[in-house]
Structures are given as structure tokens and as C-alpha cells.
Amino acid sequence: DDYDLNMLSNLMFITGGILLVSSITAIISAILIKKRENWKMAIALCVVAALTSIIMDVVIGIVLCIVGLFMAYNIYKNKDCFNS
């Protein structure tokens, strides 16, 4: 009984950490996009956010990954909108 509770607690902690990493990288990417600075870093952070989200959950993770990779593609093709 305690083993199951500890396993669930650990799983929730790991999932929360992955979600935190995904969120932080997506927010930093969004800030760079808003400022129109550092094109390569904006793409890299967006891809990291997308790929870390797929680890989080199977169904929601796949949807978030597809959306994130689509956004990374949009950043990639709009390089001329960035200052650097």
C-alpha cells in the first residue's frame, strides 16, 4: 500500500518536473518571438518544449508535440521577421 503511494508520488513529481521544463522553454521561446530576437534559440526552445511534452502523457503529449513542432516550423519559415 505504501509502495503504491510512493510510486504514484514519484510519478507525479517526475511528470510535474517534465511539465515545468516544457512550460519554461515554451515561455522563453515566446518571449524571444515577441521581441523578434535570437531566431535559432527560439526554434530550439520551441522544439525542446514540444519534445518534452510528449514524455508527459501519451494522448495529450502527442497533441502538444504536434502543435509545438508546427510552431517551430512557423518560426523557422519566418526567419526574416527576426532581428538576429
Side-chain angles (χ1 to χ4, degrees), residues 1 4 8-9 14 16-17 39 45 57-58:
D1 193 35
D4 292 339
L8 179 62
S9 176
I14 291 168
W39 174 76
L45 290 171
D57 186 356
V58 176

Side-chain angles (χ1 to χ4, degrees), residues 26-45:
I27 289 169
I28 295 170
S29 179
I31 291 169
L32 292 174
I33 293 166
K34 179 78 174 165
K35 291 181 174 183
R36 297 177 187 244
E37 294 177 355
N38 208 339
W39 174 76
K40 287 181 183 178
M41 185 61 74
I43 292 174
L45 290 171

Side-chain angles (χ1 to χ4, degrees), residues 16-83:
I18 291 168
L19 183 59
L20 183 64
V21 169
S22 180
S23 300
I24 289 171
T25 55
I27 289 169
I28 295 170
S29 179
I31 291 169
L32 292 174
I33 293 166
K34 179 78 174 165
K35 291 181 174 183
R36 297 177 187 244
E37 294 177 355
N38 208 339
W39 174 76
K40 287 181 183 178
M41 185 61 74
I43 292 174
L45 290 171
C46 192
V47 169
V48 168
L51 295 178
T52 54
S53 68
I54 202 167
I55 298 169
M56 181 181 62
D57 186 356
V58 176
V59 177
I60 295 171
I62 290 172
V63 172
L64 291 175
C65 185
I66 291 169
V67 170
L69 293 176
F70 177 73
M71 292 305 299
Y73 172 72
N74 282 322
I75 298 166
Y76 175 77
K77 73 178 189 176
N78 288 301
K79 180 181 181 178
D80 56 334
C81 295
F82 285 78
N83 297 327

